[in-house]
Amino acid sequence: MDLAYFTSASSMPEFVGTTVLDTIGLVIPNIEESILEKMNMKKKYRSLGLLTSRTGAAGQILAIDEAVKATNCEVLSIDLPRDTKGWGGHGNFIIVGSSTVSDARKCIEIALEKVYLHAGEVYISEAGHLEFAFSARAGQALQMGFQAPADRAFGFICGSPAAIGLLIADQAMKASNIELINYWTPSIGTSHSNEVIITVTGETTAVKDAVILARTNGLLLLECMGSTAKSPTGIPYIQ
């Protein structure tokens, strides 16, 4: 193989793009058969779209959720590895399948755009991090990743260190008429990360208000630990 054939990553036909949170999007037009067999997918798509990030999970899953709705693609797998570049949380590795390379590529292109938008709700400081997500209508990716009820409002609240996560989760549940879906801790549901995570559902306004309350109080708590938590874009999307 002549590795000099590609003068840059962007010249590779498999390359789609990159964005914030150390995210890269790729496509595999025709996955090698023996690898596909070992992947144990329910459907054996040969064209795959790949999205992976070092930091964040909910925003990327939500991005794929929105991208799949807009294309003829299906979410095949979602992994949340312990990562956050060595800090207290997760990264992600998401695979979608399609009958055509063009749909797989379009799906990842849309997802990369949405990841940039959703990165406004990832807040990182030297002391810890917070992540929030909201969708008015949960689709396939949110159902697979978080057991979200289909077509209902969905909220994600995450705090690290874990004590902050639990406190803002408790405050959010008490303040709004919402239903708890998941409760994850360092030993339950996570890759042993120093986080508490809840996912919730309910009426759209109630879910959004709960997430906003958790965000407000979580940022205050992280700041009292000595440094201000900032998002990569500085533009929150949950208003």
Side-chain angles (χ1 to χ4, degrees):
M1 179 184 294
D2 183 7
L3 297 180
Y5 175 79
F6 298 113
T7 58
S8 69
S10 60
S11 67
M12 295 183 186
E14 296 88 354
F15 180 82
V16 179
T18 62
T19 190
V20 294
L21 301 175
D22 297 293
T23 301
I24 189 167
L26 306 166
V27 294
I28 299 178
N30 190 27
I31 183 76
E32 204 279 330
E33 183 65 33
S34 62
I35 296 178
L36 183 62
E37 289 295 327
K38 292 292 186 181
M39 292 172 76
N40 294 319
M41 301 296 180
K42 291 182 179 179
K43 293 185 180 180
K44 299 285 181 74
Y45 292 102
R46 299 305 299 270
S47 296
L48 303 181
L50 314 177
L51 186 78
T52 191
S53 312
R54 297 293 311 277
T55 301
Q60 289 87 345
I61 294 173
L62 180 55
I64 286 289
D65 196 70
E66 295 169 345
V68 166
K69 291 174 184 174
T71 58
N72 292 317
C73 293
E74 180 180 0
V75 183
L76 299 180
S77 68
I78 298 173
D79 290 321
L80 302 181
R82 174 70 184 275
D83 201 328
T84 319
K85 299 179 76 173
W87 302 329
H90 291 86
N92 63 85
F93 173 38
I94 306 170
I95 303 175
V96 301
S98 176
S99 299
T100 67
V101 179
S102 59
D103 263 332
R105 176 174 287 275
K106 184 63 176 177
C107 182
I108 298 302
E109 288 173 349
I110 294 171
L112 287 168
E113 293 174 1
K114 298 295 185 180
V115 167
Y116 186 87
L117 171 68
H118 300 156
E121 296 293 356
V122 178
Y123 302 90
I124 299 172
S125 75
E126 293 180 1
H129 68 267
L130 306 165
E131 184 176 5
F132 306 97
F134 169 78
S135 173
R137 184 174 68 89
Q140 188 209 352
L142 292 175
Q143 293 168 51
M144 178 181 289
F146 300 118
Q147 300 80 53
D151 299 323
R152 294 187 66 192
F154 169 84
F156 177 96
I157 295 169
C158 169
S160 173
I164 290 178
L166 179 55
L167 178 59
I168 61 176
D170 179 68
Q171 291 173 334
M173 292 297 299
K174 288 174 177 174
S176 298
N177 183 23
I178 54 177
E179 177 185 345
L180 183 66
I181 305 170
N182 293 307
Y183 169 69
W184 292 350
T185 75
S187 62
I188 303 170
T190 73
S191 298
H192 301 289
S193 59
N194 189 7
E195 301 169 297
V196 163
I197 298 168
I198 64 167
T199 60
V200 299
T201 189
E203 294 298 320
T204 302
T205 300
V207 172
K208 183 183 290 187
D209 287 348
V211 173
I212 291 173
L213 174 67
R215 180 181 67 192
T216 299
N217 290 344
L219 287 170
L220 290 172
L221 291 166
L222 268 188
E223 186 171 357
C224 80
M225 295 181 70
S227 59
T228 301
K230 298 180 180 179
S231 77
T233 66
I235 308 172
Y237 76 90
I238 304 174
Q239 304 289 347

